[in-house]
Amino acid sequence: MALLWQQFLASFSFESYFPLLAEVGVILTLITALAAWNYIKEYKFWYYILTLIYLISTVVVILTTDWFFFLFAWEMVTLTTTFLLAWSSWKLVKQYFVIQFTGSSILLFAALAANALGYTEIAAIDSVLLQFVLIIGMATKSGIFIFHFWLPPIHSEAPSPVSAILSGWVVKLGYIFLLKIIPIESGNTMLYLLGIAMVVYGGWQAVRSADLKIMLAYSTVSQLGFIALAIGTGGELAFLGAVLFIIAHGFAKTTLFITSGILQREYGSRVVYDFKGAIFKRPLTSLAVIISFLSLAGLVFSAGYNAKYLISSAQLPGLLTKVVFFGFALISAIYSLRILYWIFIVDEDYSNFADKLKKALNSYQIYSTDILAILFGTLGVLIVAFWPEMPGDMLEYLVDYDFNIIAGVRDSIIYILLAVYLIHNNAGFKVKVRDHLSLERYLRSALDFIFSMSRKNVKFDTDKIFETVFYNTIFNTSKKIHDFFYQDLTIQLLWIPVFLSILLLWQQIYSYF
């Protein structure tokens, strides 16, 4: 046991920017824990126990270089976040578990293949084929394009503090892993192309969303595309851009999902058209929403601008590159400013602002934990905006880096003018409120398409498919194993040293190979 513990501690690497990312993960988790205090009403103790286990596991995932501890910790992240979804519905728990279990299986196969090919520690991998398999395994868990199908339904239906955990940090773990295995010198072309697809597709779906949480989920897909694109580009500047984007988006999206929960509780709705008078009813929440959306838009003097500027600066110079990245930035500006337009501009009367604000402040209950959560989240966004090298100069390369603020002001004015023009001339891109997203509907559409090729009309009960084919197979297998091993308390106690011995033996075999 002592040897295993020593190997566990020795596997931690505190080099480069990974300790900073681990610290950010801890801060974001604490912010969501504050937000959950008034949101979670039942079994609060177990919610925070799961959050603590999740927190420790994420730190291990980020810092360890050992494949075994990495996989074990990531599965603990999967299990804890799976059970956190139980505060929404067990149906969501089952669906999320099946999807994450599939990704874990692919990732385990890829890790074993990497170990067999001589990559005994998590580090840069030169084999393009092995990179491909690892990306596919990570894609399911972190929502890369094509494998992102689960992200909008799960993130939009989860409780707001859990959505903040999932979108703010859990999906970032895969990209932090890619920062370790993708060679900084070469990047990865497939990842680059997938990133482009995510930026465009996620952005377009975000523009077409009237439900705030669905919009935030799709914008996560789009924003993650910038990170994938940056890692795929390769080079020190692009990787630093990816790191800064992970941090900036983590704070902004965590804050936005928390504020979405506050607004939903205030208005009894998630539709942006219903949030009238928000700045009077929830002034601090509204301020946090504005600052966070400006960061997602990538406007100058925001955290998002700094990260996107680094990524665009790492690209090959040329007119085509400038036009493409201008288009990407415009997409982000449109879906971000569109939400601010509907919440704070349409049908709003700001005459006698001070009197209305004072009257509103006296008419609703203020939860101190909510206020602290959104203040810390907003503070994180502002720190990345005005202190991109981070406290203690942890990103030393950025200490004297010129972010070309003058060009940023020029571009931001152009983005705002174009976005305002398009929003105004398209009636604010007002769209019909979609039905709540569901994985069953996606599965049904896929199966209908497949069977339409054979010109047969078949109706599928997707609930039964999830229940009987996927979930029950895993559940029944686990139950049989449980019934075989855990017959009474004596045998349960005897299995503790056996389990530890198996772990130790596995580590020794693993080290040998």
Side-chain angles (χ1 to χ4, degrees):
M1 185 64 182
L3 178 60
L4 185 63
W5 179 250
Q6 290 174 3
Q7 290 177 335
F8 172 69
L9 294 178
S11 73
F12 279 38
S13 174
F14 296 94
E15 299 177 356
S16 191
Y17 27 68
F18 296 108
L20 170 63
L21 291 170
E23 291 172 11
V24 170
V26 171
I27 294 170
L28 291 176
T29 304
L30 294 177
I31 290 173
T32 60
L34 280 172
W37 186 256
N38 288 307
Y39 195 100
I40 302 299
K41 302 299 183 182
E42 297 179 330
Y43 306 107
K44 189 175 290 188
F45 172 79
W46 291 110
Y47 180 91
Y48 283 103
I49 288 294
L50 288 171
T51 302
L52 178 61
I53 298 171
Y54 154 80
L55 174 60
I56 296 170
S57 301
T58 57
V59 172
V60 175
V61 168
I62 294 170
L63 295 180
T64 189
T65 58
D66 186 289
W67 287 106
F68 173 72
F69 294 128
F70 167 77
L71 292 169
F72 182 82
W74 203 339
E75 288 320 295
M76 290 304 298
V77 171
T78 297
L79 287 173
T80 50
T81 51
T82 296
F83 286 115
L84 286 175
L85 288 170
W87 273 264
S88 175
S89 72
W90 278 102
K91 184 178 182 180
L92 214 60
V93 168
K94 296 170 185 177
Q95 294 175 353
Y96 181 76
F97 176 75
V98 168
I99 293 163
Q100 295 296 306
F101 179 79
T102 303
S104 299
S105 302
I106 300 172
L107 196 60
L108 175 60
F109 169 78
L112 293 173
N115 188 65
L117 292 173
Y119 297 99
T120 55
E121 291 187 342
I122 301 174
I125 292 174
D126 297 321
S127 169
V128 176
L129 180 60
L130 188 54
Q131 288 179 27
F132 172 79
V133 180
L134 286 166
I135 289 172
I136 295 301
M138 187 281 298
T140 307
K141 299 180 80 68
S142 290
I144 283 188
F145 188 67
I146 299 175
F147 301 93
H148 72 284
F149 63 92
W150 62 269
L151 193 151
I154 297 292
H155 286 206
S156 62
E157 293 303 315
S160 289
V162 181
S163 297
I165 289 174
L166 294 173
S167 191
W169 201 244
V170 173
V171 292
K172 308 292 195 313
L173 295 177
Y175 296 91
I176 294 171
F177 172 64
L178 290 178
L179 285 169
K180 296 181 180 182
I181 67 162
I182 302 297
I184 192 171
E185 301 84 7
S186 59
N188 183 282
T189 303
M190 183 185 77
L191 198 58
Y192 182 89
L193 296 175
L194 288 172
I196 291 175
M198 291 169 70
V199 171
V200 177
Y201 172 79
W204 171 243
Q205 291 293 342
V207 171
R208 295 177 60 247
S209 300
D211 184 309
L212 181 58
K213 288 192 73 175
I214 292 177
M215 178 271 160
L216 291 175
Y218 274 116
S219 71
T220 293
V221 175
S222 182
Q223 297 279 309
L224 291 176
F226 283 102
I227 303 173
L229 188 155
I231 300 173
T233 300
E236 183 178 12
L237 202 57
F239 271 46
L240 280 171
V243 170
L244 204 62
F245 207 107
I246 288 170
I247 298 171
H249 183 262
F251 279 110
K253 194 52 67 75
T254 297
T255 303
L256 285 171
F257 267 114
I258 291 171
T259 54
S260 74
I262 295 173
L263 292 174
Q264 182 179 354
R265 187 168 56 200
E266 178 71 30
Y267 290 91
S269 171
R270 300 186 340 193
V271 180
V272 293
Y273 312 139
D274 298 335
F275 299 150
K276 300 306 176 187
I279 200 157
F280 300 112
K281 293 184 177 181
R282 293 290 175 182
L284 289 177
T285 299
S286 298
L287 180 62
V289 168
I290 292 169
I291 292 173
S292 299
F293 267 120
L294 291 180
S295 181
L296 291 192
L299 299 183
V300 69
F301 303 118
S302 73
Y305 169 79
N306 292 340
K308 289 178 182 177
Y309 183 81
L310 288 175
I311 296 170
S312 61
S313 299
Q315 308 304 311
L316 293 174
L319 179 60
L320 179 61
T321 301
K322 290 182 179 179
V323 171
V324 169
F325 274 81
F326 181 87
F328 291 165
L330 183 60
I331 291 172
S332 300
I334 289 173
Y335 67 66
S336 299
L337 296 179
R338 170 181 172 268
I339 298 299
L340 298 182
Y341 169 79
W342 279 108
I343 297 178
F344 302 113
I345 296 178
V346 176
D347 299 330
E348 293 293 342
D349 179 13
Y350 290 105
S351 60
N352 301 318
F353 179 82
D355 292 337
K356 290 181 180 178
L357 183 61
K358 183 177 180 181
K359 182 179 179 181
L361 285 173
N362 295 324
S363 64
Y364 68 84
Q365 186 175 6
I366 297 176
Y367 296 103
S368 58
T369 51
D370 287 348
I371 298 299
L372 286 174
I374 61 177
L375 284 179
F376 284 133
T378 307
L379 179 62
V381 175
L382 294 175
I383 287 175
V384 182
F386 296 102
W387 202 352
E389 64 271 21
M390 297 289 112
D393 296 343
M394 299 187 76
L395 298 178
E396 188 176 356
Y397 183 87
L398 301 180
V399 172
D400 297 316
Y401 190 79
D402 181 11
F403 284 92
N404 203 345
I405 299 300
I406 295 176
V409 171
R410 176 202 65 201
D411 292 343
S412 295
I413 292 173
I414 296 173
Y415 297 147
I416 292 172
L417 290 176
L418 285 174
V420 169
Y421 173 80
L422 291 170
I423 290 170
H424 181 267
N425 283 275
N426 289 277
F429 291 107
K430 187 170 185 178
V431 294
K432 183 180 178 181
V433 180
R434 311 186 199 190
D435 295 331
H436 286 189
L437 302 181
S438 67
L439 288 172
E440 292 96 332
R441 192 174 69 183
Y442 288 167
L443 179 60
R444 185 181 296 112
S445 298
L447 292 173
D448 287 343
F449 173 76
I450 292 171
F451 274 82
S452 68
M453 304 297 288
S454 63
R455 299 181 180 178
K456 293 181 179 180
N457 186 17
V458 182
K459 290 186 177 181
F460 295 97
D461 188 339
T462 49
D463 281 335
K464 288 186 177 180
I465 291 175
F466 265 106
E467 292 285 342
T468 59
V469 179
F470 296 128
Y471 173 72
N472 283 344
T473 300
I474 298 170
F475 178 82
N476 291 333
T477 304
S478 302
K479 187 175 184 303
K480 287 180 181 179
I481 295 173
H482 176 275
D483 292 342
F484 177 77
F485 287 118
Y486 299 98
Q487 297 174 18
D488 55 47
L489 179 62
T490 306
I491 293 182
Q492 289 183 37
L493 293 175
L494 286 174
W495 271 101
I496 294 175
V498 174
F499 176 70
L500 294 176
S501 300
I502 291 172
L503 281 179
L504 183 60
L505 179 62
W506 164 258
Q507 184 66 14
Q508 293 300 318
I509 296 172
Y510 181 78
S511 301
Y512 176 78
F513 286 102

